[in-house]
């Protein structure tokens, strides 16, 4: 550990400073690791005080691994996607909340099973031990317990953090947005659950990402299946997370992991293998309720009956065309207790995956098309936070927005239509010199009338460069001032697209601009 | 360090477990600190695996110190404030960007002077050393340098992090939003600077927070003043940060700090004291340009000339009523190079301060009314990141949104008007039993027509409880289904406010709802 630290410290000092550093250290005989470490720390502190290597050229100019900036074009796309999603959440009557980006470390502890190692911890700088949120669900449960809320329908759009191996070309990051919609409360079975699926259906349809499929299963069906296939109780969770890999690995590899790594009998694995290949609708649930083995498990029959009920509501919601009951769906997270679901895009050639195939990823992965939404029921999570263990049943869905951004971005790149990054309606320009004051006076009039307007920050800009700026950024109108216009009390209004120019009296200018921009 | 860790670890185990822990440790003789530490680590790991103290009752149910959740009501207010601010930024033609919540630690190093100790670091979990962003300005500069952008007008609304002593009743948090607007580019003097002040003026006027004042100064005037008052060069920055405390401490205390702590001569301090008591407008800048001492400093005269030019543009922008040239304004951050400004609310009895006075804070602080916006010119920051040291002049402003939220929240509390937290237009209800399917069918019709609608997640809810829910959450319309309505092919539409009820044919329902809700 100390050795690693030293290497990193030295490699941070570039050029002749590296040489000096190494030479000095070498010339010291009998130095201990602790002393080296202390020296390095002193050097680093000095470096920090000097403002980064005593010069301006030593910075590594990058964002942290697995993260990215959003440029204005990406932000314009992001806003469009968010608007679609938020509109849908609001259409379904959701409120919104926000929680801090970090939680007490113990709030997150024991909620994510094997994935807990991916949580970002903050440095202990004195005070509480904190971690960055890993999802929005656990903070939501903490919020409900803390505020003793037993009924709420809320959405929450915010960034979450996972120290995962990023695959950024596929839209997988270490910092990424989640868009969560959850319904908390004690209600009659499967009604809120069905609404979550309706929401996924609406959002994916409206975003126009091509065809999709929503896979549905139930943790109780999985657990019942494990029981009747002879999986020992204490292996349910670990076998479940192996089943979860079926969308990324072929059955043979999944089976190998079960038998060789997790110590399951080959016979049990084969029985699981039969079930997890099953897909269908309400009919499959009915058939499995008659299955001699499955029907022996109370858990499984409860889950299967709920799947039946769910499908009856999905019919009323008109979304059964996209929903499949799929026994191979397991979902990674520990906290699910009932129904689980996941939406995948099924259209061939979805760009992020094609990208990865080009990069030489293995063929299994390039076949699977990314999950873009997922969720399920978690009736026990709030109780884990409540001092009295009081339970609040919850069901929710999370939209995997980063992958959707990636697809939308590539669509925008491919499309001829230009993405506007501002909403400016008018550029206030002048054709002659020494009219800065007049331009500022006019743009003030426009701003005060709530018109989106710009002026170039130059005393004497060229008319051509003012017009060019309009072309580039899609500003539809130019209000041109000149000596003559000022004398006549008019402004020359130019329509950028048609190059048409008309004189408008100063008094009518605002209403004329409003008329022309509301048309658009 | 190890000792501290042990104490904390033990105090984390509550009740009988603490006793056990302490007893076990005491009974071990000859144990080393390292062994204790190892034991504690094992215990903690065990605790973590058990999911938090082996039970459900050990969680500290709180958010991290200095942070808070936003409930739906607060979110509704927050969205309103954001909309006002974003509208203003867009009116002025700004694009938006986003950057990750953490940066490489070295990106932030050496940018914040004495405040650097308040930066949150992430734990070294292998990989890069990271820190949470302290503001949006440094990430913006990093973004410009990294992408070689020399011209942009952008806004960025996001949370920033400071390990400060929170004063949450005054709207001061460790996690808080900043709303930044910045103009980067080589332009003619003071035009973008004046636009930033225009923006502050527009936003504070529109938010209707009572009267305000925008103080303006220039770092070059401060530095020139320090020079002519006999402050040694190497003390400029530290004396500057003492001057910055003038809004929180009386002059006598500031002087004491300069003389006793920072080692300035009493004579120099007194000369500074004279200048920093000056306030005015363009006239003051003109007078100081004639001042026998000030006029000797090239820095000061450059700054004073720019203040004059700035005020001439502010006149054109019609905002001079609120702007004051104030020589005591210093601003804490290191990176400013030219003009600086800060907006304060001046209305007596602004709630957050009154609150603090009630809590027994000292009287100096309760007199100062909080800063709600601040910014300035920072022409050197981008160059610090550019491999070739290439400079990009920048000027910007940050709206201190948390304090504004606090005020708006208290206004909402005081007002009779109820804050709606959802936008639901219609509740689909039934008066009789066994109509769940019909309700789901109807609400699907409404959702599919983009009408915001809700249905209770119960098979047989009482009509009264459905109507009550509408009253409570401000839903204006109820679409009521009953056996008779279904037979007649109508829906009973109830206006919640007036209790008026009319039968509408199923075919006309959607247009009738649209008509009635667009009126509102």
């Amino acid at each position: 550990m100390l050795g690693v630290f030293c290497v990193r410290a030295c490699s941070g000092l570039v050029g002749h400073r590296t040489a000096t550093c190494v030479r000095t250290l070498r010339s010291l005989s009998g130095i201990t690791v602790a002393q080296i470490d202390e020296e390095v720390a002193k050097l680093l502190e000095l470096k920090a005080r000097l403002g980064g290597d005593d010069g301006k050229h030593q910075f590594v100019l990058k964002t942290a691994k697995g993260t990215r900036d959003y440029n204005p074009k990406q932000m314009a796309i992001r806003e469009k996607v968010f608007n679609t999603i938020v509109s849908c959440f609001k259409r379904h009557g959701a409120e919104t909340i926000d929680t801090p980006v970090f939680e007490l470390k113990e709030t997150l502890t024991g909620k994510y099973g094997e994935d807990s190692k991916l949580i970002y911890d903050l440095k202990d700088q004195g005070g509480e031990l904190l971690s960055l949120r890993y999802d929005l669900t656990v903070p939501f449960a903490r919020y409900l317990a803390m505020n003793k809320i037993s009924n709420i329908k809320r959405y929450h759009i915010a960034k979450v953090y996972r120290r995962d191996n990023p695959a950024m070309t596929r839209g997988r990051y270490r910092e990424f947005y989640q868009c969560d919609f959850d319904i908390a409360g004690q209600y009659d079975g499967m009604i809120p659950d069905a609404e979550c699926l309706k929401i996924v259906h609406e959002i994916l349809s409206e975003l126009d990402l091509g065809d999709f499929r929503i896979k549905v299963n139930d943790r109780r069906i999985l657990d019942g299946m494990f029981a009747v296939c002879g999986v020992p109780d204490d292996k349910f969770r670990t076998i479940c997370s192996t089943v979860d890999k079926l969308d990324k690995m072929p059955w043979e590899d999944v089976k190998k992991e079960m038998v060789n790594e997790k110590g399951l009998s080959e016979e049990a694995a084969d029985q699981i293998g039969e079930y997890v290949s099953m897909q269908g609708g309400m009919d499959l649930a009915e058939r499995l309720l008659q299955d001699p083995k499955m029907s022996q498990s109370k858990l499984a029959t409860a889950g299967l009956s709920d799947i039946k009920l769910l499908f009856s509501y999905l019919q009323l919601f008109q979304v059964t065309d996209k929903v499949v009951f799929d026994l191979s769906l397991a979902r990674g997270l520990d906290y699910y207790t009932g129904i689980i679901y996941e939406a995948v895009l099924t259209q061939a050639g979805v760009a992020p995956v094609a990208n990865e195939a080009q990069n030489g990823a293995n063929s299994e992965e390039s076949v699977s098309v990314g999950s873009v939404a997922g969720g399920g029921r978690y009736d026990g999570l709030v109780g884990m936070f409540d001092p009295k263990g009081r339970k609040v049943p919850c069901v929710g869905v999370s939209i995997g927005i980063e992958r959707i951004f990636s697809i939308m971005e590539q669509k925008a790149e491919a499309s001829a239509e230009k993405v506007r990054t501002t909403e400016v309606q008018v550029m206030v320009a002048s054709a002659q010199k020494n009219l800065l004051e007049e331009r500022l006076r006019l743009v003030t009039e426009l701003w005060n009338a709530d018109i989106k307007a710009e002026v170039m920050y130059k005393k004497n800009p060229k008319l051509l460069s003012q017009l060019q700026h309009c072309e580039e950024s899609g500003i539809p109108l130019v209000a041109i001032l000149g000596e003559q216009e000022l004398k006549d009390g008019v402004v020359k209004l130019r329509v950028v697209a048609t190059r048409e120019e008309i004189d408008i009296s100063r008094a009518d200018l605002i209403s004329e601009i409003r008329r022309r921009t509301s048309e658009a």
Side-chain angles (χ1 to χ4, degrees), chain A residues 185 190 192-193 335-340 375-379 393-396:
Chain A
M190 294 297 114
D193 311 58
Y335 48 63
Y336 292 118
T337 54
I339 188 144
I340 47 178
R377 178 161 282 284
Y378 49 101
D379 289 347
C394 295
V395 64

Side-chain angles (χ1 to χ4, degrees), chain A residues 73 416-427 452-454 465-478 494-498 516-517 520:
Chain A
K73 223 181 197 171
E417 214 181 313
K418 226 174 140 186
V419 179
R420 272 201 80 180
T421 58
T422 77
E423 298 175 9
V424 177
Q425 300 163 308
V426 196
M427 172 85 181
K452 292 165 193 143
E454 262 191 325
S465 67
Q466 296 172 83
L467 296 180
Q468 253 170 4
H469 175 73
C470 293
E471 298 264 3
E472 279 161 17
S473 61
I475 301 172
L477 298 172
V478 197
R494 179 185 169 110
V495 180
V496 177
T498 61
R516 284 176 179 266
T517 49

